[in-house]
Amino acid sequence: MEGDGSDSLVTIKNIERELICPACKELFTHPLILPCQHSICHKCVKELLLTLDDSFNDVGSDNSNQSSPRLRLPSPSMDKIDRINRPGWKRNSLTPRTTIFPCPGCEHDVDLGERGISGLFRNFTLETIVERYRQAARAATAIMCDLCKPPPQESTKSCMDCSASYCNECFKIYHPWGTVKAQHEYVGPTTNFRPKILMCPEHETERINMYCELCRRPVCHLCKLGGNHSNHRVTTMSSAYKTLKEKLSKDIDYLIGKESQVKSQISELNLLMKETECNGERAKEDAITHFEKLFEILEERKSSVLKAIDASKKLRIDKFQTQMEEYQGLLENNGLVGYAQEVLKETDQSCFVQTAKQLHLRIQKATESLKSFRPAAQTSFEDYVVNTSKQTELLGELSFFSNGIDVPEINEEQSKVYNNALINWYHPEKDKADSYVLEYRKISRDDEMVSWNEIEVYGTSKVVSELESNCNYAFRVRAYKGSICSPCSRELILHTPPAPAFALMGSGGIQLEEPITAKYLEYEEDK
């Protein structure tokens, strides 16, 4: 196995996220391959099992999985780890142990079965890559030769069989040509000398030497002879190695060849993100504007309603005040009664009759008012209660513009125009629309954009009055269902006549014919 060149170190530094354990969020340490093909640290598997097992024993319910596997778990005590690693430990022992846990990578349940952790393969390839990454990360700290006399030289090779690192001179001395040591496996400088031998989880003394094509996993010869893979199609490890290496190489070449395309798409995604950000802010501003308009309308209506209530209150209080003053005049020594008492003192009969007649009528009227007392005004303001039920319902249904309603179409044949216009339209979903909004505007000859006038209509036709003569007008209509609005219809352009029409009347005389009026158009509309 040859040492890696400096060009590979650059690549190694860019793959850190592939070397992070999904459970502890740190670089893999002794990674194991789960049945779902994701890798996880050996210690993290133990911690997950112990945490779930303790939760099961403590709670005994579905609430046991309270700690997320994506969070770093607290390290278990050594006695707990020993319990799991103990050879005699089984799932069916007196103390129940869980072997099912969610994979931190894909969150699918993983069942380790009766063998537990011992049934998992070590991911030696990932271990090697992590070690290379660690070396690249600490490139400034060189691995020194273990056999040099002081001062030691920087090592250039590490022997996996001797578990030692050597400089070039020491390696030649301790691994001379023609000896057994010359056949030792050596790699680039490393401190990781763990044996790289895959043993079968089912047959612990057998090395992996075949590949099951059905299960897509390495197996030993005993698995094929009488084990779970006896009826499966297997191939030699060298053949599987060659096939998978070719496929992986093609995949890598394809991705490298698409590098410019990926960069272009990344740039496009960045632009789309910025555009989405701008459009989102613009949509928020538009929504705020619409709501502010509603607030302005509500404030205006609120002010108008309060003024009407104040005016009615003042009028009623004035009436009550006048009526009260009249009644106070009936009291003794006040007003009418006092005046009547003075009139009674008159001894001249003619003068008395002259004054008493009118006074009698006034007193009689006051007496009748006492018999049937009727306040001059009402105290109740029931007629001034604001009914907002319809508006509340509409506001509750307030939503975005939607294309969920079919577009109405203006009927050109049934639409007429003079100084008034009758606009008629039809709607495929007539019964599903609550109302319509007819919009019209004068088309300026100077190409000026004239704002649209809007009329709310509850039918499918409308008379538009007071149009200017000899002008082009554009009309369009849209449908409403609650807060959902359809797109506007195709515009209809109509031209008003330049002058009123004339009709011959009698012998050679002429009379101005009355223009087509709203009354005529309303008759057409009713038809």
Side-chain angles (χ1 to χ4, degrees):
M1 190 173 175
E2 298 293 337
D4 295 322
S6 59
D7 57 335
S8 64
L9 297 180
V10 179
T11 305
I12 286 292
K13 293 180 180 179
N14 297 328
I15 62 173
E16 180 177 356
R17 66 179 182 180
E18 300 293 335
L19 311 180
I20 299 296
C21 173
C24 63
K25 303 300 182 183
E26 296 180 356
L27 290 175
F28 282 104
T29 304
H30 304 162
L32 302 177
I33 301 178
L34 300 177
C36 59
Q37 298 306 304
H38 289 100
S39 295
I40 184 173
C41 294
H42 185 264
K43 60 180 177 62
C44 291
V45 179
K46 295 178 182 178
E47 292 174 3
L48 281 169
L49 291 175
L50 288 170
T51 302
L52 294 175
D53 184 56
D54 289 345
S55 299
F56 175 81
N57 291 334
D58 294 342
V59 180
S61 66
D62 293 337
N63 296 327
S64 60
N65 192 14
Q66 295 176 357
S67 59
S68 171
R70 294 189 178 275
L71 300 176
R72 187 172 184 186
L73 301 170
S75 299
S77 60
M78 290 304 298
D79 60 331
K80 289 185 177 181
I81 294 179
D82 289 341
R83 279 186 288 164
I84 282 191
N85 289 335
R86 198 173 299 154
W89 174 77
K90 292 183 179 180
R91 186 177 181 181
N92 295 328
S93 60
L94 294 178
T95 304
R97 302 292 180 191
T98 179
T99 60
I100 300 178
F101 66 94
C103 169
C106 62
E107 298 185 355
H108 287 87
D109 284 341
V110 174
D111 190 353
L112 300 183
E114 296 293 336
R115 295 183 56 81
I117 296 178
S118 60
L120 298 177
F121 283 115
R122 285 175 61 184
N123 195 337
F124 285 109
T125 301
L126 182 56
E127 269 189 69
T128 303
I129 296 174
V130 170
E131 182 60 29
R132 273 190 241 145
Y133 175 82
R134 292 183 188 275
Q135 293 177 24
R138 58 173 183 261
T141 306
I143 299 176
M144 308 309 292
C145 177
D146 294 325
L147 281 302
C148 275
K149 295 180 180 180
Q153 300 295 316
E154 183 176 340
S155 65
T156 58
K157 297 179 180 65
S158 293
C159 179
M160 300 302 292
D161 297 285
C162 300
S163 298
S165 297
Y166 304 87
C167 65
N168 283 333
E169 295 300 324
C170 290
F171 187 81
K172 293 178 182 177
I173 294 173
Y174 292 95
H175 295 77
W177 287 104
T179 64
V180 176
K181 285 190 174 183
Q183 306 300 320
H184 285 185
E185 180 183 6
Y186 63 91
V187 296
T190 183
T191 57
N192 181 14
F193 298 105
R194 290 185 294 274
K196 191 175 180 180
I197 301 174
L198 276 180
M199 306 302 292
C200 179
E202 300 295 330
H203 309 93
E204 298 179 357
T205 59
E206 298 296 328
R207 297 184 62 172
I208 294 297
N209 56 4
M210 287 183 284
Y211 183 80
C212 178
E213 295 183 348
L214 180 63
C215 302
R216 297 183 180 179
R217 58 171 293 176
V219 295
C220 71
H221 70 283
L222 292 181
C223 291
K224 174 60 179 174
L225 291 177
N228 297 330
H229 305 269
S230 57
N231 297 324
H232 297 177
R233 181 180 176 180
V234 297
T235 185
T236 62
M237 190 59 68
S238 59
S239 176
Y241 169 81
K242 181 179 178 181
T243 301
L244 291 175
K245 190 170 185 178
E246 288 178 355
K247 290 182 179 180
L248 186 58
S249 298
K250 289 181 179 179
D251 293 339
I252 293 173
D253 292 340
Y254 176 81
L255 291 177
I256 294 175
K258 295 293 183 179
E259 182 177 359
S260 59
Q261 179 181 342
V262 173
K263 290 181 178 179
S264 174
Q265 291 173 348
I266 290 175
S267 299
E268 183 179 353
L269 289 173
N270 283 325
L271 292 176
L272 292 175
M273 288 172 62
K274 293 179 181 178
E275 184 179 352
T276 301
E277 182 72 24
C278 294
N279 290 341
E281 292 301 318
R282 189 179 298 114
K284 285 173 60 178
E285 293 174 0
D286 292 343
I288 291 173
T289 300
H290 287 298
F291 277 101
E292 287 178 348
K293 288 182 179 178
L294 289 178
F295 296 153
E296 291 175 2
I297 294 173
L298 288 174
E299 285 295 332
E300 187 275 331
R301 296 306 302 155
K302 173 185 173 182
S303 176
S304 176
V305 167
L306 294 181
K307 287 180 180 178
I309 293 176
D310 286 339
S312 178
K313 180 181 69 174
K314 184 178 183 303
L315 179 61
R316 297 182 189 192
I317 290 178
D318 290 344
K319 288 183 178 181
F320 281 130
Q321 184 66 35
T322 301
Q323 188 178 23
M324 185 174 63
E325 290 175 356
E326 291 178 355
Y327 275 81
Q328 285 179 342
L330 300 178
L331 297 178
E332 186 175 359
N333 299 323
N334 287 292
L336 186 59
V337 174
Y339 177 64
Q341 288 175 341
E342 292 299 322
V343 171
L344 287 174
K345 297 177 182 179
E346 177 62 52
T347 56
D348 185 274
Q349 294 181 354
S350 58
C351 292
F352 176 81
V353 171
Q354 180 185 24
T355 304
K357 179 61 177 176
Q358 181 64 29
L359 183 59
H360 172 67
L361 292 176
R362 290 179 61 191
I363 293 177
Q364 188 178 24
K365 182 179 180 181
T367 304
E368 289 177 355
S369 65
L370 290 175
K371 293 179 180 178
S372 58
F373 176 73
R374 182 174 299 173
Q378 294 182 354
T379 60
S380 173
F381 279 78
E382 293 180 354
D383 294 339
Y384 286 85
V385 175
V386 179
N387 182 6
T388 60
S389 58
K390 181 179 179 181
Q391 289 75 13
T392 301
E393 182 179 355
L394 290 176
L395 288 174
E397 296 176 353
L398 193 64
S399 182
F400 296 105
F401 177 89
S402 173
N403 294 334
I405 302 180
D406 287 349
V407 183
E409 287 294 329
I410 297 179
N411 192 325
E412 297 184 20
E413 296 180 358
Q414 297 184 14
S415 298
K416 307 177 187 299
V417 67
Y418 194 68
N419 61 336
N420 298 313
L422 170 63
I423 307 301
N424 199 303
W425 61 88
Y426 61 92
H427 191 207
E429 295 183 346
K430 178 179 178 181
D431 295 334
K432 295 183 180 180
D434 295 334
S435 62
Y436 301 87
V437 170
L438 175 64
E439 298 181 349
Y440 69 98
R441 70 178 179 184
K442 178 183 174 182
I443 301 178
S444 173
R445 296 177 180 176
D446 299 330
D447 293 331
E448 293 182 8
M449 291 300 296
V450 181
S451 60
W452 291 90
N453 299 298
E454 295 185 356
I455 305 176
E456 187 176 11
V457 186
Y458 291 93
T460 55
S461 62
K462 182 63 180 177
V463 174
V464 182
S465 305
E466 300 179 356
L467 301 179
E468 295 181 17
S469 60
N470 197 24
C471 292
N472 288 323
Y473 281 84
F475 299 85
R476 67 186 186 185
V477 64
R478 63 179 186 268
Y480 277 87
K481 174 64 176 177
S483 60
I484 301 176
C485 174
S486 76
C488 290
S489 66
R490 179 177 53 86
E491 293 184 14
L492 173 64
I493 309 297
L494 295 177
H495 182 78
T496 56
F502 292 85
L504 295 176
M505 296 294 292
S507 57
I510 62 173
Q511 178 178 340
L512 180 63
E513 183 179 0
E514 183 180 0
I516 301 177
T517 62
K519 189 173 292 185
Y520 169 78
L521 292 177
E522 287 171 359
Y523 169 75
E524 290 289 325
E525 180 182 359
D526 293 338
K527 292 200 298 182

